[in-house]
């Protein structure tokens, strides 16, 4: 028993000496999905910043669709740091210019209190304007306008009576235009 103990201790000491004196190189770990994603983001970052700058130029020129898009990019920090107050201001410009999707977007910002204090009365005001403006954009086969109007019908916002059948028809129409969000909505209903 004593002999086995001594051999066991000697084996452990020998292993420790081998590990300390060996010149084994650490094994390189393969990159993880997170490493690959970080690399992709670093390569696309300059492209996003350039796209943001081009969109901002259009928005400053009075393009109401670019103003709405710029607002969303500022909310999500695409090509720029997140700036909720600036996003709210650009959404107000888009909505004031009569852009139906911009009006819906501003209504959502007021509803959620994004970049401003929550204000249900102002939210309802802009939803009502969007309910009047969006049908013209829907007639032009604008899938995002279809989804926006479907949202208003499904929730009964903007003075529209809640009508899930109309909402489904608009979502189906958006899906037929190839909009993936429309496809998801149709699948969910």
């Amino acid at each position: 028993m004593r002999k086995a103990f001594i051999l066991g201790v000697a084996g452990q000491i020998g292993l420790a000496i081998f590990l300390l004196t060996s010149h084994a190189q650490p094994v390189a770990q393969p990159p993880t999905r997170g490493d690959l994603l970080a690399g992709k983001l670093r390569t696309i970052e300059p492209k996003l910043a350039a796209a943001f700058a081009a969109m901002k130029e259009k928005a400053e020129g009075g393009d109401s669709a670019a103003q709405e898009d710029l607002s969303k990019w500022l909310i999500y920090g695409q090509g720029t740091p997140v700036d909720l107050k600036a996003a709210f201001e650009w959404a107000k410009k888009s909505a004031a210019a009569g852009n139906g999707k911009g009006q819906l977007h501003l209504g959502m910002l007021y509803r959620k209190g994004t970049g401003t204090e929550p204000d249900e009365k102002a939210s309802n005001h802009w939803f009502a304007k969007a309910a009047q403006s969006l049908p013209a954009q829907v007639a032009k086969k604008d899938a995002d306008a279809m989804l926006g109007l479907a949202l208003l019908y499904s929730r009964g916002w903007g003075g529209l009576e809640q009508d899930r059948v109309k909402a489904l028809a608009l979502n189906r129409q958006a899906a037929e235009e190839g909009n993936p969000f429309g496809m998801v909505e149709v699948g969910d209903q």
Side-chain angles (χ1 to χ4, degrees), residues 141-144 146-147 170-184:
K141 305 277 188 208
D142 184 330
D144 290 331
M146 294 169 192
L147 292 174
L170 286 161
N171 284 325
R172 185 170 286 126
Q173 198 176 350
E176 289 168 0
E177 291 296 321
N179 187 293
F181 295 108
M183 293 175 195
V184 169

Side-chain angles (χ1 to χ4, degrees), residues 37 40 62 66 68 80 82 84 102 111 113 140 153 165 173-174 185:
L37 179 61
K40 287 179 182 178
E68 179 215 356
T80 185
V82 171
L84 299 179
R111 180 68 48 123
K140 294 177 185 175
Y153 274 117
V165 174
Q173 198 176 350
E185 289 297 324

Side-chain angles (χ1 to χ4, degrees), residues 16-162:
I17 292 171
F18 170 76
L19 290 175
L20 290 173
T21 60
S22 71
H23 299 307
Q25 298 295 319
V27 177
Q29 296 293 323
T32 64
R33 287 175 46 198
D35 295 335
L36 297 173
L37 179 61
K40 287 179 182 178
L41 289 174
R42 279 191 297 278
T43 61
I44 200 167
E45 217 169 79
K47 293 176 186 173
L48 283 174
F52 178 82
M55 188 184 314
K56 187 172 183 182
E57 189 175 316
K58 285 172 125 179
E60 288 170 341
D63 183 331
S64 65
Q67 292 168 342
E68 179 215 356
D69 289 340
L70 188 67
S71 173
K72 291 177 180 178
W73 281 45
L74 285 161
I75 289 171
Y76 297 111
Q78 290 180 269
T80 185
V82 171
D83 186 344
L84 299 179
K85 290 193 184 303
F88 179 76
E89 292 304 318
W90 282 110
K92 283 197 321 189
K93 290 178 184 181
S94 176
N99 182 315
K101 292 185 294 185
Q103 293 166 340
L104 176 69
H105 179 60
L106 182 60
M108 291 302 289
L109 296 181
Y110 272 120
R111 180 68 48 123
K112 295 177 181 177
T114 305
T116 186
E117 291 296 316
D119 186 340
E120 191 171 340
K121 185 177 177 185
S123 175
N124 289 335
H125 168 79
W126 286 108
F127 286 156
K129 291 224 177 239
Q132 295 169 353
S133 302
L134 287 172
Q137 290 176 280
V138 168
K140 294 177 185 175
K141 305 277 188 208
D142 184 330
D144 290 331
M146 294 169 192
L147 292 174
L149 192 55
L151 173 69
L152 294 177
Y153 274 117
S154 71
R155 301 275 176 98
W157 288 344
L160 297 175
E161 193 170 317
Q162 189 175 29

